[in-house]
Amino acid sequence: MLKVGDKPMLEHLINRARNQGFKKIVLSVNYLGHMIEDYFRDGSRFGVQIEYLRETAPLGTAGALSLLPNKPASPLIVINGDVATEIKFDDLLEFHKRQKAKLTMAVRLHEWQHPYGVVTIDGSNIVGFEEKPVYQTRVNAGIYVLSPEALELLQANQPCDMPTLFERARSSSLATIAYPTHEPWLDIGRQEDLKAANQNQSKEDSI
């Protein structure tokens, strides 16, 4: 299992959710899923109730939700297992409800500086020049809120990633909303972010 400090990344996420009042957690497992189940079991050791969705083949973040035995009656939060975040889940849920959304995606502002001076040309004529410009984009933070209606767009045991589900929802005229998150966030699936997360954890452990 992916670790930050001496704990599995999932344990950090579970502890954060518990500390914000969430008691029931569902984990989707596939490859090495037995290791995850052996470690977390029913969740009682962590002060929560844990259930499992067992994929026999990769279904994607959204597709795995088609395995839920009972469709939820209220919105649920879905989060990728390789995300380190300090997002306030209550604020996210409240935003989702206030916007009357059916699907909400947390997004982050990402800045990237071009390493070179950028030249704009028209034919052979130079019409503009910008020295190492900074570009801003909004990226998917891997954290979502889905209302029950969104799950009706899934087919049982059929692969589906979240962008595809959002596109299906838009095509079906369901409200899809972006939630700007400004809290600390890392995608530790990237090696440099995993290193940063471990450095931050080491600082917390030394306090």
Side-chain angles (χ1 to χ4, degrees):
M1 285 184 286
L2 190 62
K3 288 190 174 184
V4 173
D6 61 349
K7 295 180 181 179
M9 182 61 231
L10 282 174
E11 186 172 346
H12 290 281
L13 289 173
I14 289 170
N15 288 340
R16 180 165 294 279
R18 180 203 62 220
N19 292 342
Q20 295 189 38
F22 291 82
K23 297 301 182 184
K24 183 175 180 179
I25 294 177
V26 179
L27 300 180
S28 174
V29 296
N30 183 7
Y31 178 64
L32 298 180
H34 65 283
M35 294 177 61
I36 295 173
E37 293 192 46
D38 286 346
Y39 185 85
F40 291 104
R41 298 187 180 275
D42 65 358
S44 56
R45 183 162 63 98
F46 306 94
V48 295
Q49 174 190 348
I50 296 179
E51 298 177 0
Y52 298 90
L53 303 179
R54 299 176 179 89
E55 302 176 57
T56 56
L59 296 178
T61 304
L65 300 175
S66 71
L67 302 178
L68 285 169
N70 300 301
K71 294 297 185 286
S74 56
L76 70 158
I77 292 177
V78 182
I79 182 167
N80 293 351
D82 57 359
V83 168
T85 179
E86 294 183 17
I87 193 171
K88 296 179 176 62
F89 296 124
D90 283 346
D91 290 349
L92 174 60
L93 278 172
E94 179 58 30
F95 179 88
H96 177 84
K97 295 174 182 177
R98 188 168 63 249
Q99 295 293 324
K100 296 181 170 56
K102 300 305 178 185
L103 301 90
T104 296
M105 177 187 294
V107 298
R108 291 277 301 180
L109 184 65
H110 177 72
E111 293 187 339
W112 175 75
Q113 184 171 30
H114 202 295
Y116 305 107
V118 175
V119 181
T120 304
I121 63 173
D122 181 6
S124 298
N125 297 315
I126 294 177
V127 297
F129 183 85
E130 192 172 3
E131 181 64 28
K132 298 181 179 179
V134 175
Y135 299 105
Q136 292 185 336
T137 57
R138 287 174 174 79
V139 299
N140 179 0
I143 307 166
Y144 317 90
V145 182
L146 304 181
S147 290
E149 295 90 334
L151 302 182
E152 296 174 5
L153 301 175
L154 298 172
Q155 297 177 319
N157 288 300
Q158 293 299 309
C160 183
D161 57 26
M162 276 297 183
T164 298
L165 180 60
F166 271 73
E167 284 301 315
R168 288 180 187 174
R170 291 179 63 238
S171 298
S172 300
S173 299
L174 295 182
T176 56
I177 301 296
Y179 174 78
T181 176
H182 306 287
E183 293 88 354
W185 173 90
L186 291 172
D187 175 1
I188 61 174
R190 301 192 327 148
Q191 191 64 33
E192 56 268 39
D193 283 350
L194 176 58
K195 182 178 179 180
N198 277 306
Q199 289 174 340
N200 290 340
Q201 187 61 41
S202 295
K203 291 178 182 177
E204 290 180 9
D205 291 344
S206 64
I207 297 175

